[in-house]
Amino acid sequence: MADLQDERHPTAEVGELPRLFEAVPELYTPVSDPDSEPLDRARAILAAHPVADGYSGLPWALRHLPWFDLEVGESAVDTDVPRLREGHVGALMWSLHLPEGLDGDRAVGATLEQLDLVKTVVRNHPEGLRLACTAGQTTDARNCGRVAVLLGPAGAAALGDSLGILRSLHTLGLRVLTLSGVSWASEAGLTRFGEEVLREMNRLGVLADLSGASEATVRRTLAVTKAPVLFTRSAARALRPHPANLPDDLLAGLGAARGLCMVPLTAEQTGPTVRDVADHLDHLRAVAGAECVALSGTYDAGIAHPQELDDAACYPHLVAELLRRGWDEADLALLTWGNVQRVLRESDFTARAAQLRREPSTAKIAELDG
């Protein structure tokens, strides 16, 4: 239990993280012609700063197809390599979420099957896709003309209440975990074991996804974590009262903690038009700051999408709308690529620092939560 006691009195070795992207707006060099049409400008900006998409339901959708070829094109899904290239997507988080009702050993086994499927899909599409775990690897994949595939988010049930399984999933490539739907991250917030899971995630470099988490879990996570957090599918509750959307006070707190809210392109959460999505992005930028906003296509998740944003090829339409509203290129570069890169880098920095002073946790849920 010494490792638990150490974390209750953290040292300065893993303190406030450096503001890696603070100088980006001053250093930014424009890449588009301000006299061009907004859609042409959008494509020029995205060619230099592609989209890092926070959520794709593609793995589960592919499980139900007898055959597919994502490099040639696949009409049965919203996402394939040609459309990713047309939409200037440079990185994509592939969800490992499972249908409701799976827990315990079934959830662990089904998540491992999802991981195996993703790795098989990427291996079979080498000209278009490449697995990545870090900010550097995502950039390398983009520079080689590939779309970087990041594994996660997975559901917390995939851990089977075991920190050993968390470490095993991390070894297999998992980089994002959603903190909801389990006894240690519930409506009541994080338990002692839940806090220990979060510390171990920080030590490994696994990002916490808080979309769908209870407000108590969100607030306790922000208090405990040393690494940035994500909301992979959340917009502004002030504009649309969906339960997964965030109130302004939480958005302000997220901005202060330098986390990231990834706005989903779904009619249910953000509205039926591209202008509605832009309204949410405007609001989040005003409340949380430009460094705390990113995009989450949520394609292939069985959800309706706004007009002009039907599939992964449509991101230029959204960026063009933001240009019409006066967004400058520096903020757009953060929105599409820079903010996700910053969070990945800060997570890696936190993990390296934590590993210098903290051994892998051997805590058990029965010991901490009874």
Side-chain angles (χ1 to χ4, degrees):
M1 303 292 288
D3 53 348
L4 270 173
Q5 294 170 354
D6 289 344
E7 285 299 330
R8 292 179 181 277
H9 304 283
T11 70
E13 292 175 339
V14 187
E16 184 176 351
L17 298 173
R19 296 181 177 270
L20 298 176
F21 277 82
E22 201 165 49
V24 165
E26 291 134 43
L27 298 176
Y28 183 82
T29 301
V31 297
S32 72
D33 180 355
D35 296 325
S36 299
E37 291 297 318
L39 192 57
D40 293 332
R41 287 190 67 197
R43 293 192 174 109
I45 293 167
L46 287 170
H49 309 284
V51 173
D53 187 324
Y55 192 96
S56 170
L58 190 59
W60 192 259
L62 293 178
R63 285 175 68 117
H64 301 92
L65 297 182
W67 183 91
F68 54 86
D69 188 332
L70 298 180
E71 284 181 357
V72 172
E74 183 54 64
S75 61
V77 292
D78 298 330
T79 308
D80 54 30
V81 172
R83 280 179 283 183
L84 289 170
R85 286 177 172 155
E86 184 180 351
H88 297 280
V89 176
L92 194 59
M93 293 181 186
W94 284 25
S95 166
L96 305 175
H97 283 158
L98 305 170
E100 292 184 8
L102 287 179
D103 55 19
D105 291 344
R106 294 174 63 209
V108 175
T111 301
L112 289 172
E113 290 176 357
Q114 290 280 83
L115 276 164
D116 179 66
L117 171 65
V118 171
K119 291 190 172 187
T120 299
V121 171
V122 174
R123 186 170 58 249
N124 290 341
H125 298 81
E127 296 303 313
L129 306 174
R130 179 178 292 183
L131 281 175
C133 295
T134 66
Q137 290 174 3
T138 61
T139 299
D140 288 345
R142 182 196 70 178
N143 291 342
C144 293
R146 310 301 194 268
V147 178
V149 173
L150 295 154
L151 294 176
L159 303 192
D161 299 335
S162 167
L163 294 176
I165 293 177
L166 170 63
R167 287 188 286 273
S168 297
L169 291 172
H170 172 263
T171 299
L172 292 171
L174 179 69
R175 287 301 177 267
V176 187
L177 185 76
T178 303
L179 301 185
S180 65
V182 288
S183 63
W184 45 267
S186 64
E187 290 297 319
L190 292 179
T191 65
R192 291 183 68 211
F193 180 73
E195 292 181 10
E196 188 69 356
V197 170
L198 183 59
R199 293 186 187 102
E200 190 66 7
M201 290 168 64
N202 284 177
R203 193 189 71 83
L204 293 169
V206 176
L207 289 160
D209 169 27
L210 296 173
S211 279
S214 69
E215 186 168 328
T217 294
V218 171
R219 294 189 185 280
R220 188 56 187 157
T221 298
L222 290 175
V224 171
T225 186
K226 302 296 184 182
V229 300
L230 301 175
F231 287 82
T232 60
R233 292 151 295 133
S234 294
R237 192 175 296 176
L239 301 186
R240 203 165 185 89
H242 189 280
N245 290 346
L246 303 180
D248 283 358
D249 62 328
L250 276 185
L251 286 173
L254 182 67
R258 290 176 56 79
L260 197 56
C261 184
M262 311 184 86
V263 174
L265 311 187
T266 67
E268 182 180 7
Q269 279 186 256
T270 50
T273 71
V274 66
R275 292 182 296 279
D276 294 315
V277 177
D279 288 342
H280 284 268
L281 294 170
D282 282 341
H283 187 85
L284 264 68
R285 184 176 65 155
V287 175
E291 290 188 343
C292 296
V293 190
L295 299 172
S296 181
T298 325
Y299 292 115
D300 295 299
I303 302 172
H305 297 281
Q307 297 169 14
E308 297 186 72
L309 298 174
D310 296 325
D311 57 36
C314 296
Y315 282 106
H317 296 287
L318 176 58
V319 173
E321 175 64 23
L322 296 175
L323 285 167
R324 294 185 190 101
R325 293 173 179 232
W327 280 55
D328 60 38
E329 285 194 18
D331 282 358
L332 288 170
L334 291 175
L335 173 74
T336 58
W337 185 257
N339 287 336
V340 172
Q341 288 287 93
R342 187 260 304 171
V343 166
L344 289 172
R345 285 198 177 103
E346 291 187 0
S347 176
D348 289 343
F349 174 87
T350 302
R352 289 195 300 272
Q355 288 165 17
L356 293 175
R357 68 182 186 88
R358 176 179 165 88
E359 294 296 319
S361 175
T362 58
K364 307 291 184 184
I365 190 170
E367 297 171 355
L368 298 183
D369 291 352

